[in-house]
Amino acid sequence: QGGRSRLFVVLAAGVSLLGLLAVAGGGGWGWRMPSLIAGLGFRGLGADLAGETPVTMMAGVEGRHARWRGGGDGSRRGAGPTVSSRLSALGAAAFLDSKHDAHDAHLARLPAAGTAPAIDPLVTFHAPACAVMRARLARATNHDGDVVVVPELRAVYVDNVKAASEAIRSTLADRFHASWSSDLGQYAHPIRGRPARTTTSYLTPDMIANYTFFTFVRDPNTRFRSSYAQAMCRERCTLCTARGGDGTTVFTPTLPEMAAFLTGRLAQFYRDLTLSGARADEMSVQDAWVDEHFESQMLRLSGATAAGSPVPIHFIGRVENFEHDWGALMDHLGVADPQQRRAPPQTEHGCDIPARGAIVRRQQATPVTTQEKVAVTSLYRDDFACLGYPQPHV
């Protein structure tokens, strides 16, 4: 326990040091790493370190898409604190949790976490800069995303973990005889046969051209805590290692520890990926994110086809408007049967290990701190930008 705690303290201190170096760099944006980070436009953290938003970096023209963060003239009005202050906050969040009254008034006008924005997510998702970002994600990470092919509907569900994915998959199996793993006699690749789990690389050109691809997304703020709960409660929890002489004392990272660890780990992974110029593989991507349930939604929705391009997306629903958006999806797919049109019941996973479950419940009951807001903003900046969710104010 002591060794693990010291590890997380060192990680947090290192991230805080990055913020101090940024401040010391001067010139407003301070210390930059363009040679290392310029190729990392597909990752919010990498874009932050370069002093740019992910969408402007991916487009290669800073300020052209300022509508994501600032004024339409390309200025950075209202962009909020720079990454230097956010990274410093990650290591010293306790000093920043107290806000000024003026900030409280601003927060009162922001949508609450878990509230669906009014904008259609397809509008932001298909913006040119986000399209470029998805193409680079598919090419660089070589992500083979999970999908469920539904021949009865001529549709493909693009799986997005922690966004009602299990409920959707169960409903597709029960009502439309479609599964990504069970052989229900519905789908087998004409050449490669039946996969153990259907992924984007198995999709045929006919499906890519003629099927409707749909998915559901979720507010990154609430999704992060749900991801934490499921990742910590799995038997194969990566960081839940046994400690002590008898090897029976289980260490479970807290929310702040996990946030700090993910931030540092992903910065190193995408830096190394950029320097090497190589394409990643599925296992290395999952290892960088510690657990697939932490993976960003834009990564999950940028699965590479056999041709190396990201899968198309034609419909995006929001978990926050699940019943309404599921009905809209059924309309889109031409489903008239009232029983088939019913929205899937949503459930949260229980904890496989009671001792960890007690820790997770205590963590989920804690208020959201500045440290957590900083981490979520950095880790999922691309999700905020391309799915239309408001970033937490830090």
Side-chain angles (χ1 to χ4, degrees):
Q1 178 75 34
R4 179 67 65 181
S5 299
R6 286 193 294 274
L7 170 61
F8 281 107
V9 169
V10 170
L11 283 170
V15 173
S16 182
L17 178 59
L18 285 174
L20 293 175
L21 288 172
V23 175
W29 289 103
W31 175 65
R32 304 166 72 102
M33 296 177 61
S35 61
L36 296 181
I37 304 300
L40 296 185
F42 48 79
R43 181 56 44 220
L45 178 63
D48 277 343
L49 288 174
E52 301 170 356
T53 64
V55 288
T56 57
M57 174 175 285
M58 292 302 299
V61 280
E62 185 172 2
R64 173 183 287 178
H65 299 285
R67 59 182 178 274
W68 298 116
R69 292 288 306 277
D73 59 355
S75 67
R76 302 190 69 88
R77 292 195 303 270
T82 64
V83 67
S84 58
S85 63
R86 287 196 296 272
L87 288 176
S88 296
L90 198 58
F95 295 100
L96 300 177
D97 277 331
S98 177
K99 298 295 185 181
H100 297 297
D101 291 340
H103 290 171
D104 293 337
H106 173 70
L107 281 174
R109 296 193 296 270
L110 294 176
T115 301
I119 190 171
D120 185 336
L122 276 178
V123 173
T124 49
F125 185 82
H126 286 308
C130 292
V132 174
M133 178 179 62
R134 292 184 68 230
R136 293 193 179 180
L137 261 175
R139 183 171 61 252
T141 66
N142 204 29
H143 177 56
D144 199 10
D146 296 323
V147 295
V148 178
V149 179
V150 194
E152 288 185 21
L153 301 177
R154 291 183 64 80
V156 175
Y157 167 56
V158 181
D159 184 74
N160 181 25
V161 292
K162 307 316 299 175
S165 60
E166 186 167 346
I168 293 171
R169 294 196 309 271
S170 297
T171 296
L172 293 177
D174 294 341
R175 302 178 194 173
F176 303 104
H177 315 100
S179 170
W180 66 6
S181 57
S182 300
D183 186 0
L184 302 179
Q186 290 293 303
Y187 171 66
H189 193 280
I191 298 175
R192 303 171 70 179
R194 176 75 200 181
R197 178 183 287 192
T198 309
T199 58
T200 52
S201 66
Y202 277 82
L203 298 172
T204 66
D206 174 67
M207 290 175 177
I208 295 170
N210 299 309
Y211 277 38
T212 297
F213 285 69
F214 70 92
T215 193
F216 277 75
V217 296
R218 182 177 181 180
D219 187 333
N221 297 288
T222 58
R223 182 176 177 266
F224 176 71
R225 288 202 162 198
S226 181
S227 299
Y228 167 81
Q230 187 160 350
M232 295 302 101
C233 283
R234 299 212 295 177
E235 287 286 355
R236 57 181 182 272
C237 172
T238 304
L239 298 178
C240 300
T241 54
R243 294 288 172 183
D246 58 0
T248 60
T249 302
V250 176
F251 171 75
T252 303
T254 63
L255 273 165
E257 289 170 339
M258 179 53 66
F261 185 81
L262 274 172
T263 305
R265 188 182 184 103
L266 286 165
Q268 181 178 7
F269 171 74
Y270 285 105
R271 179 204 65 189
D272 292 346
L273 188 62
T274 299
L275 290 174
S276 67
R279 297 182 70 185
D281 58 74
E282 190 66 18
M283 293 307 297
S284 65
V285 172
Q286 284 195 18
D287 184 63
W289 282 93
V290 179
D291 186 286
E292 66 174 340
H293 295 92
F294 284 118
E295 291 176 350
S296 74
Q297 296 177 84
M298 289 305 294
L299 172 64
R300 299 289 301 185
L301 303 183
S302 301
T305 65
S309 59
V311 291
I313 301 288
H314 306 113
F315 180 95
I316 300 178
R318 295 192 188 278
V319 169
E320 296 81 11
N321 286 339
F322 193 61
E323 289 194 12
H324 174 274
D325 289 358
W326 182 264
L329 173 64
M330 294 297 100
D331 290 340
H332 189 79
L333 297 176
V335 178
D337 187 328
Q339 294 302 313
Q340 291 182 320
R341 289 179 59 89
R342 286 184 296 109
Q346 296 186 65
T347 59
E348 284 288 350
H349 280 274
C351 201
D352 295 338
I353 304 173
R356 290 185 196 158
I359 297 174
V360 167
R361 286 191 296 273
R362 287 197 299 270
Q363 288 296 302
Q364 289 184 310
T366 60
V368 178
T369 63
T370 298
Q371 180 184 10
E372 185 175 335
K373 292 178 183 179
V374 167
V376 169
T377 299
S378 294
L379 292 168
Y380 304 111
R381 178 174 292 278
D382 298 335
D383 291 354
F384 286 113
C386 296
L387 300 177
Y389 287 102
Q391 294 182 20
H393 185 82
V394 295

